[in-house]
């Protein structure tokens, strides 16, 4: 049965819990899947020789941007990494979800981060695609796309 928000607000317990849509401890949410994908991507990049500089860098204010991982390559290049996770490759998979608006926000956040340097180091934008399902039977693949897009 479907309930409107007004009907749910009248229910005892006040809201979404009346129909069992509240997140329970241990429940898999898109936030938890995303966090797990970022940790998997970070571990993959560290094994490849990069070092973590910062995770989840956000610009202040509304409408800004975010960089999932900022890494440093062995040659000193600062690598801004976007991590995309999808459980299925339908609709183009994880890579298809990085549109022009998303790239613009990542570039905006990277430029904001680089303002702290008097002379910015060499930089590039990488993407790590994590596809598949976690769990005992799930197979997850990690694909690292170096220099996936430019700031131009």
């Amino acid at each position: 049965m479907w309930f409107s928000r007004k009907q749910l607000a009248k229910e005892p317990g006040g809201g979404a819990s009346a129909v069992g849509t509240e997140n329970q401890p241990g429940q898999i949410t898109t936030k938890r899947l995303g966090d797990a994908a970022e940790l998997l991507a970070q571990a993959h990049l560290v094994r490849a020789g990069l070092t973590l500089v910062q995770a989840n860098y956000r610009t202040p204010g509304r409408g800004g941007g975010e960089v999932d991982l900022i890494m440093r390559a062995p040659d000193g290049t600062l690598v801004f990494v976007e991590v995309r996770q999808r459980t299925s490759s339908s609709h183009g998979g994880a890579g298809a979800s990085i549109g022009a608006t998303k790239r613009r926000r990542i570039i905006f956040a990277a430029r904001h981060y680089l303002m702290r340097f008097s002379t910015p180091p060499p930089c590039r934008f990488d993407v790590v695609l994590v596809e598949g399902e976690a769990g005992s039977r799930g197979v997850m693949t990690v694909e690292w796309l170096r220099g996936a897009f430019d700031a131009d």
Side-chain angles (χ1 to χ4, degrees):
M1 174 175 263
W2 294 94
F3 294 93
S4 71
R5 288 184 179 172
K6 287 181 182 179
Q7 288 171 317
L8 287 172
K10 293 178 186 176
E11 293 292 324
S17 61
V19 292
T21 58
E22 189 175 271
N23 290 338
Q24 300 298 320
Q27 181 180 3
I28 296 175
T29 63
T30 54
K31 169 80 169 114
R32 288 186 182 166
L33 286 172
D35 291 346
E38 285 181 17
L39 287 173
L40 185 64
Q42 179 182 330
H44 182 83
L45 296 172
V46 166
R47 281 192 305 274
L50 281 73
T51 56
L52 179 67
V53 175
Q54 188 167 349
N56 298 311
Y57 176 77
R58 288 183 171 86
T59 60
R62 290 185 54 180
E66 178 195 3
V67 177
D68 292 329
L69 300 170
I70 301 174
M71 310 287 289
R72 185 160 315 269
D75 67 358
T77 300
L78 204 56
V79 183
F80 297 96
V81 182
E82 174 66 8
V83 179
R84 301 304 278 188
Q85 188 274 333
R86 294 291 182 268
T87 56
S88 153
S89 61
S90 66
H91 305 306
S97 68
I98 306 171
T101 302
K102 184 65 177 173
R103 288 191 306 270
R104 237 184 346 267
R105 287 179 181 232
I106 295 166
I107 292 166
F108 178 81
R111 286 183 173 147
H112 186 270
Y113 181 84
L114 290 169
M115 289 186 339
R116 65 184 69 202
F117 296 95
S118 58
T119 305
C123 302
R124 74 171 189 251
F125 294 92
D126 291 2
V127 173
V128 175
L129 306 174
V130 178
E131 294 192 14
E133 293 189 37
S136 61
R137 295 185 187 160
V139 176
M140 297 186 78
T141 61
V142 178
E143 184 178 1
W144 177 18
L145 306 174
R146 292 171 184 88
F149 57 92
D150 294 318
D152 299 333

